[in-house]
Amino acid sequence: PAPVKEPATAPQASAPAAEPVSAKESPLAPQPESDDPMAAHPQRFFAANQFIDSDGHLLKPDDDQANRHNIELALMAATATCGFTILGGTNGGGKTHMAISFAKKITGLDAEVSADLLPVRSDWRNVGDLLNRQQTLGANGTFSGTAFYDALSACEITPQKRAFIILEAMDLARSEDYLTEVLSAMDMRNLALIPCPDGNFYRMPKFLFIIGTANADATTFPFSPRVLDRAFYIRFRVNDVMFTDDQSDDTALQSAKAAATFLAIIDGEMEERLEAFRRKIRTDFRIEELLAAVNAIPGNHTVSLGYRTRDAIYNFMANFMCLSGQDAYNVDAAMRAFDWAVTTKILPKFQGSRDDLQAPLIALERELQSRGLLPYGPSGMWPWRTKDELTFLRYQMEKNAASAIYR
């Protein structure tokens, strides 16, 4: 039989030769010496950056004192916004110390301000445990109030009195159990009353500020969506830990000015500047569109971002900018405020399984990219904290696929 001819194939075009890389452009070429370790060894730094990212923590070359000051500003801005802030995260990170330091700065400026530390017990089950020092009334019906009760009664007598209550280790018990009436009174200050074991009913005072600390580990309870909807949650990371209380003169001065500004904000003395900031922030950041994009994900029944979140973010950003010493609107300061608003108000609401969180998280990341808070594509170094915290959340989702939580 005649031999079978193989079908002819079109000649393949040869691949273009790669352009030579000059020694100056090659990433492996020796780089000029520099005092900056990042400039001298960028590959080494970014490799370490990527490695630590995979474990949920990002190595950052930020100055420790500047980073700590930003956390303090976020605490002040959150407290001025809604009066309820939770400092959570790594154990031994200085959460209680920062809360006490903030309260001391305010009491140093106004001797009439009271500040008390109230350790939470693991057996607290209702608001009576929060208010009654003896847990139950004595045999003769005596009542001994806690620092929280003392602050309530003092503010009822003097409405302009300022008081700080630091709830230490508030997640040792289920916070919604012993804060139920307090949370309702926060929402409806003129309607909902807090029942006390002594038979009195009190409104939630305007100037009673709650700062809670939480150790996020297996021995504690997570916070319910209702609690997180009414609070700001600031997560302390491993690299937020400082081993010294020393402050530079410049940082100490900025901190003192911020404390004075905090008092001016809660007294209503900064309202004109705050309103100007809020108007500009609404135009530039379009928070409603960001929240709506997450809520609109089909099948999203886990992450709910409503009007309370929107209003809190606008007010937080304006407060943060004022506390930063801004006299006029500044884009960089607004971006820094937006960065902290996302990590303290939006990300804590991401709780659930990996399958439940994946789509809402992608929608959130797209919106943050459009506002410049996340890079397009990989970036070893990015100036905003949000990138680090999203990395941590994704790490939590992979580690605990059935029940991921940001804390």
Side-chain angles (χ1 to χ4, degrees):
V4 179
K5 295 183 179 180
E6 295 184 0
T9 57
Q12 296 182 354
S14 58
E19 297 183 2
V21 179
S22 66
K24 184 177 181 181
E25 297 174 344
S26 173
L28 302 179
Q31 302 296 322
E33 294 186 1
S34 170
D35 294 333
D36 183 1
M38 283 185 59
H41 305 285
Q43 291 79 23
R44 182 185 306 171
F45 178 84
F46 291 138
N49 208 358
Q50 185 177 12
F51 172 77
I52 294 177
D53 244 354
S54 68
D55 193 35
H57 304 294
L58 184 64
L59 177 67
K60 292 178 70 64
D62 292 348
D63 175 75
D64 284 343
Q65 293 206 16
N67 180 53
R68 196 72 168 187
H69 180 60
N70 282 328
I71 298 176
E72 185 178 44
L73 291 180
L75 171 59
M76 292 184 182
T79 305
T81 299
C82 67
F84 184 19
T85 309
I86 301 171
L87 305 178
T90 183
N91 297 332
K95 302 181 293 293
T96 302
H97 176 79
M98 174 163 284
I100 293 174
S101 176
F102 169 39
K104 282 184 175 180
K105 287 183 175 70
I106 302 302
T107 56
L109 294 172
D110 186 348
E112 297 297 322
V113 178
S114 63
D116 294 280
L117 182 71
L118 180 58
V120 173
R121 292 169 49 115
S122 60
D123 59 350
W124 283 13
R125 295 293 181 269
N126 54 60
V127 71
D129 298 327
L130 174 68
L131 300 171
N132 185 4
R133 191 184 306 276
Q134 297 177 340
Q135 300 297 308
T136 58
L137 293 178
N140 58 354
T142 58
F143 169 75
S144 177
T146 63
F148 198 100
Y149 171 81
D150 293 340
L152 278 180
S153 57
C155 291
E156 184 74 15
I157 298 172
T158 310
Q160 296 303 312
K161 178 178 174 56
R162 293 77 167 264
F164 287 85
I165 296 294
I166 301 171
L167 294 177
E168 186 181 26
M170 65 176 296
D171 55 345
L172 280 180
R174 293 189 181 278
S175 56
E176 189 167 3
D177 289 349
Y178 62 85
L179 287 177
T180 297
E181 289 83 355
V182 175
L183 296 176
S184 297
M186 283 181 176
D187 285 343
M188 301 171 287
R189 294 182 184 269
N190 295 324
L191 297 176
L193 300 177
I194 301 173
C196 294
D198 64 350
N200 292 320
F201 291 81
Y202 293 110
R203 296 179 178 86
M204 182 63 186
K206 178 181 179 181
F207 298 117
L208 175 55
F209 305 105
I210 303 173
I211 302 175
T213 66
N215 295 324
D217 55 43
T219 67
T220 60
F221 293 96
F223 294 104
S224 70
R226 184 168 184 252
V227 172
L228 292 174
D229 200 37
R230 289 155 178 81
F232 280 82
Y233 183 91
I234 301 176
R235 189 181 79 87
F236 275 60
R237 310 168 302 179
V238 171
N239 55 325
D240 289 329
V241 177
M242 287 187 66
F243 296 98
T244 177
D245 292 333
D246 296 338
Q247 284 187 318
S248 65
D249 293 340
D250 183 56
T251 304
L253 179 61
Q254 292 178 4
S255 181
K257 288 182 177 179
T261 303
F262 173 85
L263 285 175
I265 289 174
I266 64 175
D267 286 340
E269 299 173 5
M270 309 286 290
E271 190 54 38
E272 184 176 349
R273 184 185 305 177
L274 289 171
E275 182 55 34
F277 286 165
R278 283 191 289 264
R279 285 197 299 268
K280 185 63 175 171
I281 290 168
R282 288 190 185 97
T283 302
D284 289 354
F285 289 89
R286 309 181 311 280
I287 301 299
E288 294 87 349
E289 296 178 12
L290 185 154
L291 304 183
V294 176
N295 291 338
I297 295 297
N300 173 24
H301 304 295
T302 304
V303 182
S304 177
L305 305 172
Y307 72 91
R308 188 181 286 110
T309 302
R310 176 203 63 191
D311 294 344
I313 290 177
Y314 281 135
N315 291 327
F316 173 90
M317 291 178 64
N319 289 334
F320 190 97
M321 292 181 66
C322 275
L323 291 163
S324 302
Q326 302 296 322
D327 295 327
Y329 187 82
N330 177 279
V331 175
D332 290 339
M335 281 295 292
R336 179 65 67 187
F338 181 48
D339 179 34
W340 279 98
V342 171
T343 60
T344 59
K345 196 60 186 175
I346 295 180
L347 291 187
K349 290 176 171 288
F350 279 75
Q351 299 185 12
S353 70
R354 179 176 57 191
D355 293 339
D356 290 337
L357 297 181
Q358 190 69 20
L361 191 59
I362 292 175
L364 174 64
E365 289 173 340
R366 288 174 177 169
E367 290 297 318
L368 296 180
Q369 283 178 341
S370 70
R371 289 159 175 78
L373 204 59
L374 285 180
Y376 285 96
S379 173
M381 195 58 213
W382 196 249
W384 311 123
R385 189 180 180 98
T386 297
K387 177 182 177 292
D388 306 2
E389 299 304 272
L390 282 170
T391 300
F392 171 78
L393 180 57
R394 286 199 172 276
Y395 166 73
Q396 291 289 79
M397 290 167 59
E398 294 301 321
K399 180 182 177 183
N400 307 303
S403 180
I405 190 169
Y406 175 86
R407 71 187 190 113

